[in-house]
Amino acid sequence: MSSVAVLTQESFNEHRSGLLPEKAKVNVIFCTSGAEDEDSLPTYKDAFPPLPEKPLPEGVQETGNAWTTKIRPLKSSVITQVFHVPLEERKYKDMNQFGEGDQAKVCLDIMHKTGAHLELSMAKDQGLSIMVSGKHDAVMKARKEIVSRLQTQASATVAIPKEHHRFVIGKSGEKLQELELKTATKIQIPRPEDPSNLIKISGTKEGLEKAKHEILLISAEQDKRAVERMNIEKVYHPFITGAYNKVVGELMQETGARINVPPPSVNKTEIVITGEKEQVALAIAKIKKIYEEKKKNATTIAVEVKKSQHKYVIGPKGNTLQEILDRTGVSVEIPPLDSSSETVILRGEPDRLGQALTEVYAKANSYTVSSVSAPSWLHRFIIGKKGQNLAKITQQMPKVHIEFTEGEDKITLEGPTKDVQIVQGQIEAIVTDLISRMDYTEISVDPKFHRHLIGKGGANINRIKELHKVSVRIPPDNEKSNLIRIEGDPQGVQEAKKELLELASRMENERTKDMIIEQRFHRAIIGQKGEKVKEIRDKFPEVIINFPDPAQKSDIVQLRGPRTEVEKCTKFMQKMVAEMVENSFSVSVPIFKQFHKNIIGKGGANIKKIREETNTKIDLPAENSNSEMIIITGKKANCEAAKNRILAIQKELANITEVEVSIPSKLHNSLIGSKGRFVRSIMEECGGVHIHFPTEGSGIDAVTIRGTAEEVEKAKKQLLSLAEEKQIKSHTVELRAKPEYHKFLIGKGGGNIRKVRDSTGARIIFPTADDKDQELITVIGTEEAVAEAQKELEALIKSLDNVVEDFMIVDPKHHRFFVARRGQVLRDIADEYGGVIVSFPRTATQSDKVTLKGAKDCVEAAKKRMLEMIEDLDAQVTMECVIPQKFHRSIMGPKGSRIQQITKDHNVQIKFPDRDDQQGKYQIQENGEANGEVKEPADPLVPKKCDVIVLSGRKERCEAAVEALKALVPVSVAVEVPFELHRYIIGQKGSGIRKMMDEFEVNIQVPAHELQSDIISITGLASHLDRAKEGLLERVKELQAEQEDRALRSFKLTITVEPKYHPKIIGRKGAIITQIRNEHEVNIQFPEKNDENQDQITITGYEQNAVAARNAIQAIVDELEEMISEDITLDSKVHARIIGARGKGIRKIMDEFKVDVRFPQSGAADPNLVTVTGRPEHVDEAIDHLLNLEEEYMADVVENEAKMAYMKPSGSTASSMEEPRGPSKGFVVREAPWATGNEKAPDMSSSEEFPSFGAPVTNARSSPWGPKRF
């Protein structure tokens, strides 16, 4: 049995047809039952259609939700490391005093020294585990301390030449510190005066080996270099360096050695020569020759030169001394500045000393010092604005130095004598002129008023300066001075003084008041662009209002001005703040994201109405935000009213349920998936339900699912089944292995670990660089798979712990390859093969025996790899590939990616030549010479150096690499494309051409517009050109086809139709005209209201389609012209009965007789008048049928009225109608939200079930509309 719908005629008419019938004495009740009647009931969505949804803008995706967004973690600067001290290496082994005694004191001391945090724990094997947390540097220092103080120390010595010790120490000891931290050892290097060459290392066994290895590597590098020191008297150094370092430069170029001569300012006699041994020996011989020659032939003379003139002899940066040395070959020795001696010594060949002496005196007497008397306050006027006045003088006399000393009434001039005299005369003339027309005065003003005199942005003081043409100096705050200096025209100075004193006097009578206003209100008081505070300032113009800087987070607002005005302004602002406090109540309402658009309404109508009626500010989160919170601000009562209205909208729209599912917390991460992808796919599959997992680490098992009942149930089943599946497969075992073994366990390209995975089916996870525990290996899978994988891994780890020492023979010529770049190749081998230590013999021994130490399997693998490398080195050839330089950048690819790939694929070294920057550098003269050099014509058959790419490696690999390089040389092809199509190929903002270039990996060059050329050039790899050309031609064909199609689609024709027929052609909501448009694929344009030709309809499209659409419209017009309209009188009491439920009855009549029936509107003059329109024969038949129905229905109306006359009257017609039929069930619909559960239908008379907008909710009980959210 189905639900029953009870509806009165009058109420239905009023609800659906908009008719207002006369008050009926009798109400008619329709009761339907059975399947047929149930189908006639309206659905819930038909009766209560949802608000229209606002579509998302094109290209904008719907935002995520708060349940799925994963907060990106911030990376901490604090790190944690765990160190293990085995039982046999523990310094303190007293088990009874764990956490006490010396061991605890040492830990506290380490924490205090390094700033790191230490936690100790005892392992099962009685080993000590120490967890260290803190910043990276602190942790490394703590590690060093732990090793030295908590672990028993072993020691070893390594002997390297004494001269190599400084390279182990490094600059400022940095290298030594780095070595000690890296190896966790203590390295003691003998002092320079100690003759011993033994370096002592103490630490753990593992650290000792590492440190020893690193020190021997450093020594091996330095073995190839020599350093010699020569002690030569300081006075002969200038002859060795030569003028402008020419001699020493030539020596270095000739010998190839580096010669370091201490500068004149450093009192050292030692000259250091470094380089290859032969180069150093040659350089020493040449220096000795110069020294002995000069010592034998040079003589000296001493002359007296005034101390003040020494600097002129020295010259700027010593250039004059170098100049004299260059011209005469004589060295001039000047006493130090701190010495009182005036004796200058000249040293050189006897025949050159006279010339040098003449030049020294000439330089000493070429300059003079003079001074000009000028009051210090005039100095800046002499200098001028931005130094303009002084610049004129210095430009004329650039050699004169003018010095102004602050506080002194003089100007010092220094330079050539004649120039100084000229400048002195000019400055004296300026001083005389300024004194005659300038004056100054000083006034005393309290420093607290200085900033007010200056004004906002210097407004006050700038006005005074411009008005009176004066300069005003107000001392800065840090001087704490009350003197203000005014300088300028005498009259202007007096006027400015008067005005400043008046301002200061007025300020002394002002009052300053501090108001406490919460900083959150400051912006509101200031207003947008300062509009509101401007209104306050306009109202109280004499009051200055100062707000604190937002960064200070201060609540103090300062008012300053006349006492009465400040008081008035204070009261006004207090009242303003009180209103703001009252209006600043805020409440947050959680509303499902999908309903936000309904709350906003079309064009913001709903939200605007709520804002205006409740006088509140309502802020919704941005469309791309994950927040569901709507924030309401205003008066408390208004906020509550707005909140209730918003919740009422959600309540009306929502059909939401929420359930909790218990899933073990350890499975949550696997269910969420990487970046939430797994859980997001479940949510999308289940219709967009919200699935919320608790915070990681909380230990809570409850997972919340929100959405419609059906979707929630579906998601719940999926989650539970997945959780069960994960639980079966989530057996886990943890293993430990030293971090250096991990790469070997994984194998090259993951080969070793892949074998274990394939054979057992278990998943093996190694720690990442960010993990705290670097030794932990995790195995996940079924119990059997995990056990098998564990067994295999443990066997591998055990074999790695078996340390062996082996030897191999390596030709000394290959040693350099392995130890170069600070032993990078050896370090790579150690990283890849479980930390194997490879030791090469020292260069001096010429031994070919290389030692390998480490795990047996690792040593064998490393040995094999080294033999492969040696084989490659023996078979290595060098090959040249000639490719023009202009293509080199293209071949290299972005950031060298292409060349890196070739190097990796073919295992070769590729070296590109330097760029040829010499082109166009020399200008060819008429005689064929360029800068004195004759340039021979280049041989066209010989390739340029800049075009030659050099490859090194095995011959077959080099050949393959050359082919690969040549294949990367770009080529160009020209394609003819009609000029008018170019802009379509380029596309909007170049999008079309960019897409083609990205798709085909080529460069497409379209000619400039002014060239009007049809040729488009395509440049790229030969393999890509054919595809690109085909793609471009294909695009041209598409564009040409589109042009032709566009021309065909542009056919237009017009049809003349009387305007009265236009609504009929358009149809209800445009249904008829839309059907014609879609059916014939044309555009139909009706005339605008203000058009002259109101009867013209324009049709645009393909010609045949436009003609067919015109014929369709003409057919409708012809049919309309044949129609007639007739009015008949039908009693209004039967109108609702004829119309039927949801208009079904009248629609059936109109369809059956092919007519249009119009009933009178509410308030019509004649409520019984009904109009029938259609073909004459159809109209007559319809009228007969309607009159028959009236007669039949009126009989029922009369009968019911007769019955009502005998019935007891009641308060309402509705209640009397209900008595014979039992209680009313209200307006019943199908597929209602409450029909899915056991809930009863809502009571339409209840304000709680159907609240009005803004009405408070009286009862908080749950309802079939879903949970209330406040």
Side-chain angles (χ1 to χ4, degrees):
M1 197 68 179
S2 64
S3 301
V4 178
V6 181
L7 184 67
T8 63
Q9 290 279 8
E10 289 78 0
S11 62
F12 183 78
N13 269 341
E14 191 174 348
H15 182 62
R16 287 291 167 205
S17 303
L19 302 175
L20 186 63
E22 294 176 352
K23 287 183 181 177
K25 293 179 183 176
V26 179
N27 286 324
V28 184
I29 304 168
F30 296 93
C31 294
T32 59
S33 63
E36 187 181 335
D37 295 331
E38 185 176 356
D39 291 341
S40 67
L41 291 175
T43 65
Y44 177 74
K45 282 190 178 176
D46 290 336
F48 301 101
L51 290 174
E53 291 189 1
K54 184 177 176 184
L56 283 169
E58 190 175 345
V60 177
Q61 294 183 349
E62 192 172 347
T63 57
N65 53 64
W67 305 97
T68 60
T69 304
K70 192 166 183 180
I71 297 170
R72 190 175 176 183
L74 290 171
K75 194 169 180 181
S76 172
S77 62
V78 175
I79 65 164
T80 302
Q81 289 191 10
V82 179
F83 304 113
H84 299 278
V85 181
L87 176 63
E88 60 274 12
E89 291 184 17
R90 279 182 57 187
K91 189 177 280 187
Y92 305 99
K93 296 184 181 178
D94 190 349
M95 310 301 172
N96 299 323
Q97 286 194 345
F98 182 73
E100 301 174 11
D102 294 338
Q103 186 169 267
K105 287 176 186 175
V106 168
C107 288
L108 286 170
D109 188 44
I110 292 170
M111 286 164 68
H112 180 69
K113 270 187 183 178
T114 63
H117 179 71
L118 271 64
E119 287 184 20
L120 275 73
S121 61
M122 189 86 76
K124 288 181 181 178
D125 61 357
Q126 302 303 314
L128 196 64
S129 290
I130 305 162
M131 187 168 72
V132 186
S133 303
K135 297 204 171 175
H136 184 268
D137 290 345
V139 170
M140 296 312 289
K141 285 176 184 174
R143 176 193 171 190
K144 185 182 170 186
E145 290 285 329
I146 288 165
V147 168
S148 65
R149 298 176 66 181
L150 292 180
Q151 202 165 351
T152 54
Q153 302 293 297
S155 64
T157 56
V158 58
I160 63 170
K162 186 77 175 174
E163 58 270 20
H164 296 176
H165 287 194
R166 63 194 182 93
F167 298 104
V168 177
I169 297 168
K171 189 178 179 181
S172 304
E174 287 175 4
K175 182 66 185 172
L176 183 62
Q177 288 175 13
E178 185 191 330
L179 268 176
E180 287 184 334
L181 281 176
K182 187 176 174 183
T183 60
T185 57
K186 176 69 179 171
I187 302 171
Q188 293 177 336
I189 295 174
R191 298 184 67 78
E193 59 271 17
D194 189 342
S196 173
N197 65 351
L198 291 175
I199 295 175
K200 188 179 178 183
I201 311 165
S202 56
T204 60
K205 291 176 184 176
E206 185 183 350
L208 288 178
E209 292 294 333
K210 283 185 181 177
K212 198 172 178 181
H213 178 65
E214 292 289 337
I215 290 167
L216 287 172
L217 276 179
I218 293 167
S219 179
E221 277 185 27
Q222 298 306 320
D223 264 344
K224 301 179 187 69
R225 298 184 62 81
V227 179
E228 289 292 339
R229 290 173 174 76
M230 294 180 70
N231 277 312
I232 291 177
E233 292 170 62
K234 186 78 178 173
V235 293
Y236 293 105
H237 284 194
F239 301 111
I240 292 165
T241 57
Y244 306 108
N245 290 321
K246 285 180 184 175
V247 175
V248 79
E250 287 169 8
L251 283 173
M252 286 196 283
Q253 198 169 355
E254 284 175 27
T255 62
R258 188 164 174 267
I259 303 168
N260 181 22
V261 181
S265 56
V266 177
N267 192 22
K268 280 188 177 180
T269 59
E270 188 179 68
I271 297 175
V272 182
I273 305 107
T274 56
E276 298 294 332
K277 291 178 180 177
E278 298 81 6
Q279 297 171 344
V280 170
L282 183 59
I284 288 170
K286 287 184 177 287
I287 290 169
K288 276 183 180 176
K289 186 181 177 184
I290 294 168
Y291 168 62
E292 286 166 2
E293 187 182 326
K294 289 296 176 186
K295 192 171 183 181
K296 181 181 177 183
N297 299 330
T299 58
T300 61
I301 59 168
V303 294
E304 297 295 317
V305 177
K306 286 181 183 178
K307 191 75 178 175
S308 60
Q309 293 177 324
H310 284 192
K311 59 182 175 181
Y312 306 129
V313 177
I314 296 168
K317 296 181 181 177
N319 279 343
T320 305
L321 292 177
Q322 296 294 326
E323 190 181 323
I324 294 168
L325 181 61
D326 189 33
R327 285 183 187 172
T328 65
V330 174
S331 165
V332 181
E333 298 164 19
I334 307 289
L337 289 174
D338 53 0
S339 168
S340 59
S341 172
E342 294 186 342
T343 305
V344 175
I345 297 169
L346 283 72
R347 189 183 304 273
E349 303 287 336
D351 56 336
R352 297 289 186 91
L353 288 173
Q355 184 189 345
L357 184 61
T358 306
E359 291 204 17
V360 167
Y361 277 124
K363 295 291 181 185
N365 296 322
S366 63
Y367 280 76
T368 187
V369 177
S370 181
S371 65
V372 178
S373 293
S376 60
W377 66 273
L378 282 178
H379 286 187
R380 59 197 190 83
F381 297 104
I382 295 166
I383 294 166
K385 192 175 183 181
K386 293 183 180 177
Q388 287 176 352
N389 296 348
L390 209 58
K392 291 174 186 175
I393 298 170
T394 53
Q395 281 169 8
Q396 292 172 358
M397 305 292 175
K399 292 184 179 179
V400 178
H401 174 65
I402 305 169
E403 187 178 336
F404 294 83
T405 308
E406 191 175 348
E408 289 187 14
D409 294 338
K410 70 171 183 177
I411 301 166
T412 308
L413 309 177
E414 186 180 327
T417 308
K418 287 182 181 179
D419 292 358
V420 166
Q421 288 170 357
I422 295 166
V423 172
Q424 186 173 352
Q426 290 177 344
I427 292 176
E428 282 173 351
I430 294 169
V431 170
T432 307
D433 176 56
L434 286 171
I435 289 172
S436 66
R437 59 185 180 82
M438 297 286 282
D439 193 10
Y440 80 93
T441 187
E442 289 181 342
I443 60 172
S444 181
V445 176
D446 194 320
K448 69 181 178 182
F449 298 131
H450 286 184
R451 65 191 185 94
H452 305 302
L453 288 176
I454 294 166
K456 191 173 183 181
N460 292 350
I461 205 70
N462 288 339
R463 181 184 58 77
I464 292 168
K465 284 178 181 177
E466 288 173 15
L467 182 65
H468 302 297
K469 307 293 183 212
V470 294
S471 168
V472 182
R473 184 189 180 277
I474 297 175
D477 293 342
N478 57 354
E479 283 187 19
K480 296 182 180 177
S481 170
N482 60 355
L483 285 178
I484 295 175
R485 188 182 180 94
I486 310 165
E487 300 166 352
D489 178 69
Q491 186 182 348
V493 166
Q494 294 306 316
E495 288 173 356
K497 177 182 176 181
K498 184 181 175 183
E499 187 171 344
L500 284 169
L501 288 171
E502 281 177 6
L503 277 170
S505 154
R506 200 183 312 154
M507 285 171 195
E508 285 174 356
N509 297 323
E510 286 183 346
R511 184 191 170 190
T512 301
K513 184 169 184 178
D514 290 342
M515 283 186 72
I516 307 296
I517 300 174
E518 287 184 60
Q519 194 181 36
R520 62 192 174 111
F521 297 127
H522 290 188
R523 283 182 67 183
I525 295 169
I526 293 166
Q528 193 173 10
K529 296 182 180 177
E531 289 171 1
K532 289 193 177 178
V533 81
K534 189 175 181 295
E535 288 173 15
I536 301 170
R537 283 173 177 154
D538 292 343
K539 194 169 183 177
F540 305 99
E542 294 182 53
V543 179
I544 295 169
I545 305 168
N546 288 324
F547 286 87
D549 191 286
Q552 293 176 358
K553 296 185 178 178
S554 172
D555 294 337
I556 297 171
V557 177
Q558 194 178 71
L559 309 181
R560 186 171 54 78
R563 184 183 296 273
T564 53
E565 289 297 305
V566 167
E567 289 300 328
K568 286 179 186 175
C569 185
T570 302
K571 286 178 182 175
F572 178 81
M573 288 182 71
Q574 282 172 343
K575 186 180 176 183
M576 193 176 177
V577 171
E579 286 177 7
M580 285 180 181
V581 170
E582 189 181 357
N583 291 327
S584 66
F585 179 79
S586 181
V587 65
S588 297
V589 189
I591 299 292
F592 282 103
K593 195 78 177 178
Q594 64 263 36
F595 300 136
H596 285 197
K597 52 181 173 284
N598 304 103
I599 288 161
I600 294 166
K602 191 173 184 180
N606 288 358
I607 199 76
K608 190 178 178 184
K609 185 179 178 184
I610 297 170
R611 282 171 178 157
E612 287 172 357
E613 291 181 4
T614 60
N615 192 24
T616 55
K617 180 187 174 190
I618 303 172
D619 294 318
L620 285 91
E623 279 189 28
N624 57 356
S625 165
N626 295 321
S627 173
E628 294 185 339
M629 286 293 178
I630 295 177
I631 299 166
I632 307 169
T633 310
K635 292 184 179 178
K636 189 173 181 180
N638 294 349
C639 287
E640 290 297 331
K643 175 183 171 182
N644 292 336
R645 290 179 68 165
I646 288 170
L647 286 170
I649 293 173
Q650 177 178 249
K651 186 177 179 183
E652 186 178 340
L653 295 166
N655 175 25
I656 302 300
T657 185
E658 184 175 303
V659 298
E660 281 191 357
V661 184
S662 182
I663 295 171
S665 56
K666 67 179 181 180
L667 300 178
H668 289 186
N669 279 346
S670 59
L671 290 174
I672 293 168
S674 175
K675 295 182 181 176
R677 287 176 189 152
F678 197 11
V679 77
R680 205 178 299 122
S681 68
I682 297 170
M683 290 193 287
E684 287 167 4
E685 194 179 325
C686 299
V689 296
H690 286 188
I691 301 174
H692 175 64
F693 285 86
T695 311
E696 190 176 353
S698 63
I700 300 169
D701 294 343
V703 178
T704 309
I705 309 170
R706 281 195 300 166
T708 58
E710 186 181 343
E711 290 162 352
V712 165
E713 192 58 36
K714 187 179 176 184
K716 180 181 174 182
K717 283 179 182 175
Q718 275 206 32
L719 275 176
L720 288 172
S721 65
L722 284 167
E724 189 179 348
E725 187 183 335
K726 294 273 182 192
Q727 205 154 8
I728 293 167
K729 292 185 178 177
S730 66
H731 190 72
T732 305
V733 163
E734 292 178 349
L735 302 172
R736 306 195 78 83
K738 291 179 183 178
E740 54 265 33
Y741 293 165
H742 290 188
K743 276 194 178 180
F744 186 75
L745 290 171
I746 294 165
K748 195 170 183 180
N752 295 351
I753 209 68
R754 201 179 298 114
K755 284 179 188 174
V756 178
R757 283 176 182 163
D758 293 345
S759 64
T760 62
R763 187 176 170 212
I764 300 156
I765 302 168
F766 284 85
T768 63
D770 297 330
D771 288 342
K772 293 177 185 176
D773 193 343
Q774 289 292 306
E775 293 190 356
L776 194 68
I777 301 170
T778 309
V779 186
I780 302 171
T782 60
E783 194 170 352
E784 297 80 9
V786 166
E788 197 175 335
Q790 181 184 5
K791 188 178 176 183
E792 286 192 29
L793 284 172
E794 282 176 345
L796 277 171
I797 293 164
K798 191 175 180 182
S799 69
L800 291 174
D801 285 332
N802 181 20
V803 177
V804 296
E805 190 170 306
D806 200 355
F807 303 95
M808 64 182 291
I809 304 301
V810 177
D811 195 316
K813 68 180 180 181
H814 297 314
H815 288 195
R816 186 179 178 81
F817 170 78
F818 288 99
V819 298
R821 291 178 294 131
R822 303 183 64 79
Q824 184 60 47
V825 175
L826 296 181
R827 278 199 289 273
D828 291 344
I829 291 170
D831 288 345
E832 193 172 342
Y833 299 102
V836 168
I837 297 170
V838 184
S839 300
F840 276 76
R842 286 174 58 188
T843 312
T845 61
Q846 291 297 313
S847 171
D848 58 1
K849 191 176 179 183
V850 176
T851 307
L852 294 90
K853 189 175 180 182
K856 188 176 180 182
D857 292 345
C858 296
V859 166
E860 289 300 323
K863 196 172 176 181
K864 186 180 176 185
R865 176 66 185 135
M866 286 176 70
L867 288 170
E868 286 173 6
M869 288 178 175
I870 292 162
E871 189 183 343
D872 283 348
L873 289 169
D874 287 334
Q876 197 172 73
V877 296
T878 301
M879 197 173 284
E880 291 183 351
C881 174
V882 180
I883 294 174
Q885 191 182 46
K886 63 182 179 179
F887 299 127
H888 288 187
R889 182 174 288 181
S890 174
I891 291 168
M892 287 178 184
K895 295 182 180 178
S897 57
R898 289 177 179 167
I899 213 68
Q900 286 168 10
Q901 192 60 44
I902 293 173
T903 305
K904 188 178 175 183
D905 291 347
H906 301 284
N907 194 17
V908 293
Q909 296 296 318
I910 302 173
K911 186 178 186 304
F912 279 80
D914 295 332
R915 291 187 64 79
D916 183 12
D917 295 329
Q918 302 302 317
Q919 293 175 4
K921 186 174 179 181
Y922 299 105
Q923 294 179 354
I924 307 302
Q925 307 297 326
E926 287 182 7
N927 60 2
E929 290 181 359
N931 287 346
E933 294 178 12
V934 178
K935 205 171 183 184
E936 294 181 5
D939 185 350
L941 300 175
V942 177
K944 293 180 183 177
K945 281 186 180 179
C946 62
D947 295 341
V948 178
I949 301 169
V950 179
L951 296 90
S952 304
R954 282 178 175 267
K955 187 179 179 183
E956 62 276 10
R957 291 175 183 168
C958 286
E959 288 169 353
V962 166
E963 293 303 317
L965 283 173
K966 287 180 177 176
L968 290 175
V969 176
V971 292
S972 295
V973 65
V975 182
E976 192 170 343
V977 176
F979 175 74
E980 62 272 12
L981 297 180
H982 287 190
R983 63 195 184 97
Y984 300 110
I985 287 167
I986 293 168
Q988 191 175 13
K989 294 182 180 178
S991 59
I993 203 162
R994 272 200 306 275
K995 185 182 175 186
M996 289 177 73
M997 288 196 292
D998 292 342
E999 185 180 347
F1000 302 117
E1001 296 180 30
V1002 293
N1003 181 42
I1004 301 174
Q1005 188 69 38
V1006 179
H1009 185 269
E1010 56 270 15
L1011 297 177
Q1012 301 280 310
S1013 171
D1014 292 343
I1015 302 300
I1016 290 178
S1017 175
I1018 306 173
T1019 306
L1021 303 182
S1023 57
H1024 297 164
L1025 281 185
D1026 292 338
R1027 264 191 336 119
K1029 188 176 177 181
E1030 286 174 17
L1032 182 59
L1033 292 173
E1034 190 66 37
R1035 178 66 180 142
V1036 169
K1037 284 179 188 174
E1038 286 175 17
L1039 290 169
Q1040 287 173 339
E1042 282 176 20
Q1043 276 188 328
E1044 292 169 12
D1045 187 57
R1046 203 178 295 117
L1048 292 171
R1049 275 206 314 269
S1050 302
F1051 179 79
K1052 276 188 182 181
L1053 62 80
T1054 56
I1055 180 172
T1056 304
V1057 177
E1058 286 186 45
K1060 67 178 181 181
Y1061 294 136
H1062 290 187
K1064 293 287 184 184
I1065 294 167
I1066 293 167
R1068 191 179 178 194
K1069 294 183 180 178
I1072 295 170
I1073 200 69
T1074 301
Q1075 187 182 349
I1076 295 170
R1077 282 173 178 152
N1078 295 341
E1079 191 176 330
H1080 300 287
E1081 295 179 351
V1082 293
N1083 181 31
I1084 303 171
Q1085 195 69 38
F1086 285 83
E1088 299 289 340
K1089 285 184 181 178
N1090 52 359
D1091 283 356
E1092 291 179 10
N1093 302 321
Q1094 286 291 312
D1095 57 353
Q1096 296 290 320
I1097 297 173
T1098 306
I1099 307 169
T1100 310
Y1102 294 113
E1103 186 177 356
Q1104 65 272 24
N1105 291 1
V1107 171
R1110 183 189 63 186
N1111 295 340
I1113 292 170
Q1114 191 61 53
I1116 294 169
V1117 172
D1118 293 345
E1119 192 176 330
L1120 289 170
E1121 284 176 345
E1122 292 176 8
M1123 288 183 178
I1124 61 166
S1125 289
E1126 282 193 26
D1127 294 335
I1128 60 169
T1129 302
L1130 290 179
D1131 197 309
S1132 59
K1133 294 175 185 176
V1134 300
H1135 287 189
R1137 186 88 179 270
I1138 290 168
I1139 291 167
R1142 296 179 62 81
K1144 278 188 178 180
I1146 197 64
R1147 272 202 301 276
K1148 188 178 178 184
I1149 293 167
M1150 290 193 290
D1151 292 343
E1152 187 179 338
F1153 296 101
K1154 296 179 182 174
V1155 295
D1156 182 46
V1157 182
R1158 295 286 172 191
F1159 287 85
Q1161 293 291 328
S1162 175
D1166 185 356
N1168 300 323
L1169 191 67
V1170 176
T1171 304
V1172 184
T1173 306
R1175 288 178 176 275
E1177 62 274 16
H1178 296 157
V1179 168
D1180 292 341
E1181 289 175 7
I1183 289 171
D1184 290 342
H1185 182 71
L1186 287 169
L1187 292 172
N1188 289 337
L1189 285 175
E1190 181 197 25
E1191 187 179 343
E1192 181 186 338
Y1193 294 157
M1194 279 304 294
D1196 292 341
V1197 171
V1198 172
E1199 185 182 341
N1200 286 335
E1201 283 177 350
K1203 283 181 183 178
M1204 292 297 291
Y1206 297 101
M1207 299 179 83
K1208 182 180 178 182
S1210 62
S1212 68
T1213 56
S1215 61
S1216 64
M1217 186 176 69
E1218 287 170 1
E1219 282 177 12
R1221 296 189 182 270
S1224 168
K1225 293 187 180 179
F1227 178 55
V1228 179
V1229 291
R1230 292 179 291 128
E1231 300 174 13
W1234 56 83
T1236 57
N1238 298 322
E1239 298 281 351
K1240 61 172 187 169
D1243 181 4
M1244 287 187 290
S1245 64
S1246 165
S1247 63
E1248 206 271 311
E1249 299 285 9
F1250 292 90
S1252 59
F1253 260 113
V1257 179
T1258 56
N1259 194 352
R1261 68 183 177 82
S1262 62
S1263 76
W1265 300 86
K1268 295 180 178 61
R1269 292 171 175 82
F1270 295 95

